[in-house]
Amino acid sequence: MLSVEEYLERVLAMARPLPAEPCPIGEGDGRVLAEDLLARFPVPPFSNSAMDGYAVRAADTSGGEVRLQVVGDIPAGVFSAPEVGLGQAARIMTGAPMPPGADAVVPVEETDQPQGVAPLPDAVVVAEVRPGRHVRRAGEDVATGDIAVRAGQRWTPATAAAAASIGYTQVPLMRKPRVAVLSTGSELVAPGANLGFGQIPDSNSLLIAGLVEQFGGEVLLQRAVPDDPEAFRGALSEAREADLIVTSGGVSVGAFEVVRQVVEGEIEFVKVSMQPGKPQACGRIVGPSGAEQALLALPGNPVSVFVSAWVFLRPLLAAFHGLDAPWPGNQLPAGEGWQTPPGRRQYLPVVVRGGFVFPAHSLGSGSHAIGSLHLAEALAVIPEAADVIRPGDLVMVRPLG
Ligand code: AMP
Ligand code: MG
């Protein structure tokens, strides 16, 4: 039996670097930046006003209650700004360029002028202001040539906005890992189909595909495959463009374990000391095109699939991007007791109510309880050494966010 960490190490070893490709900055959400972005111009690009008010020479305002001659208006977006000489001021709006001569802005609230729409006055009485006050200096956020966004950063609306503000329209983003999802089982029928004797709807395909996307992968193919080696070989061949193939089912010790039948010898089948999720397999296989592909074979029980996806698939997809996948958690007291298998790390779907942890369902970690898995807000992670959790025991809770 391998520990979770030992098996995770083998899973992560399957990752390979992904090529980068140029991507419009507005379309990269969730992908990872492949190269540092150097600022092509500063942010802000020019010194500008942080307030609606009057641009002045700070030295002119000493003592306050000073009357200055108003030489013009500077709304945002102007092409030029009047020079502000001794004893002068210019009305200025937030984001408008500081006029030559001025070194501070007096907010309109600190003048004798009305706020809002008003004609340009000939003169303004202003309060005292320090040099540089209410001025956003050119480059004070980012200077030209600074690394504004670092390689390895996940693309978000905020990185897109940063990239726009330093002069980019396209950026090199890593291609997402392409993933094929193959659920095995002759009992599986498509959701919505009438159930014949012994049949169940294929829920794992949806579950895995959704989690792949949530964890930063791209789903190329998603289908159920019967427990027939020829059918499974055919599905592997359909998945030839995938960087990673994720299967469910067929890895256990039954008599018809199709994944095992087809790829045993190529990849390693192991037992991992966890519950649920004990039978697992992973390794690199040579696809029909001769290229290597990573294969992550999860057990078939839906809750095992879910737990295995959080524990192994999530960090694997991050590793394809060269990233770690930290999974922070909190210690919280159990609100009720439950059993946990000694010698195996338990991952229990839980909810948190009033600061206490409760199993999300009376079946606990019953690995088939897919109808109630969605209730879980977190997984409680119980160490191998424990055999029971008593009310009030502190347990580690990792959110499913
Ligand atoms: P297996 O690992 O193939 O023995 O499957 C273990 C359990 O999970 C069995 O009860 C299967 O019917 C169930 N199962 C396997 N695949 C799926 C799936 N795609 N959707 C829902 N349940 C599944
Ligand atoms: Mg099966």
Side-chain angles (χ1 to χ4, degrees):
M1 194 114 89
L2 294 179
S3 72
V4 172
E5 282 71 27
E6 285 165 338
Y7 183 61
L8 179 59
E9 206 172 295
R10 298 186 186 187
V11 168
L12 297 184
M14 296 195 294
R16 294 291 179 275
L18 297 163
E21 54 196 16
C23 179
I25 57 176
E27 294 170 19
D29 259 10
R31 291 172 60 182
V32 173
L33 183 63
E35 291 165 28
D36 292 341
L37 297 186
L38 306 187
R40 293 177 174 159
F41 44 74
V43 185
F46 51 87
S47 292
N48 66 89
S49 179
M51 300 292 278
D52 296 323
Y54 286 82
V56 300
R57 295 168 174 258
D60 283 352
T61 67
S62 107
E65 293 292 304
V66 181
R67 188 179 181 83
L68 301 172
Q69 181 199 358
V70 176
V71 295
D73 241 343
I74 316 175
V78 287
F79 298 110
S80 67
E83 167 117 27
V84 172
L86 278 179
Q88 294 182 328
R91 187 164 71 168
I92 193 166
M93 302 299 137
T94 305
M98 284 297 287
D103 61 1
V105 173
V106 183
V108 63
E109 297 88 333
E110 295 170 29
T111 72
D112 65 345
Q113 292 302 307
Q115 299 178 35
V117 179
L120 186 68
D122 298 328
V124 62
V125 177
V126 301
E128 180 168 0
V129 69
R130 283 180 287 105
R133 188 81 183 115
H134 302 309
V135 177
R136 304 159 168 168
R137 266 183 311 102
E140 72 177 11
D141 182 12
V142 179
T144 302
D146 278 359
I147 299 175
V149 190
R150 286 197 182 273
Q153 170 85 45
R154 228 178 245 289
W155 207 248
T156 65
T159 57
S165 71
I166 57 168
Y168 289 80
T169 56
Q170 293 215 331
V171 289
L173 298 183
M174 283 182 214
R175 167 161 87 51
K176 287 186 178 181
R178 297 182 182 138
V179 183
V181 176
L182 305 178
S183 292
T184 69
S186 293
E187 72 278 35
L188 305 176
V189 297
N194 288 328
L195 299 182
F197 180 75
Q199 293 184 322
I200 57 169
D202 168 20
S203 56
N204 286 348
S205 296
L206 282 165
L207 183 62
I208 299 171
L211 290 170
V212 163
E213 287 185 349
Q214 185 179 329
F215 299 153
E218 179 192 334
V219 176
L220 278 191
L221 166 72
Q222 165 187 346
R223 54 168 286 201
V225 188
D227 291 319
D228 164 52
E230 267 328 294
F232 186 66
R233 278 193 200 95
L236 286 179
S237 150
E238 259 181 79
R240 70 174 73 80
E241 301 296 327
D243 302 301
L244 168 65
I245 299 164
V246 182
T247 64
S248 81
V251 294
S252 191
V253 293
F256 306 96
E257 307 286 2
V258 70
V259 177
R260 194 183 269 280
Q261 286 168 24
V262 172
V263 293
E264 180 132 57
E266 275 193 270
I267 72 171
E268 248 180 318
F269 287 75
V270 298
K271 290 191 166 81
V272 182
S273 52
M274 63 194 284
Q275 191 234 11
K278 184 166 71 165
Q280 301 276 350
C282 73
R284 292 186 65 83
I285 59 170
V286 178
S289 59
E292 278 203 346
Q293 294 174 291
L295 173 57
L296 182 68
L298 309 180
N301 274 307
V303 180
S304 312
V305 164
F306 185 75
V307 165
S308 307
W310 271 88
V311 177
F312 303 119
L313 176 60
R314 178 171 169 272
L316 174 58
L317 290 173
F320 268 101
H321 288 115
L323 300 177
D324 290 334
W327 190 10
N330 302 317
Q331 298 265 10
L332 290 174
E336 66 180 68
W338 66 82
Q339 304 289 316
T340 175
R344 286 161 71 187
R345 187 176 304 173
Q346 187 185 43
Y347 291 89
L348 181 72
V350 294
V351 294
V352 178
R353 295 287 173 262
F356 288 87
V357 183
F358 296 88
H361 190 273
S362 58
L363 287 170
S365 56
S367 55
H368 58 292
I370 188 57
S372 57
L373 176 64
H374 67 97
L375 299 172
E377 298 166 350
L379 292 178
V381 184
I382 310 300
E384 289 78 343
D387 56 5
V388 66
I389 295 295
R390 295 190 176 81
D393 284 354
L394 282 182
V395 299
M396 173 55 77
V397 174
R398 302 201 187 275
L400 300 167

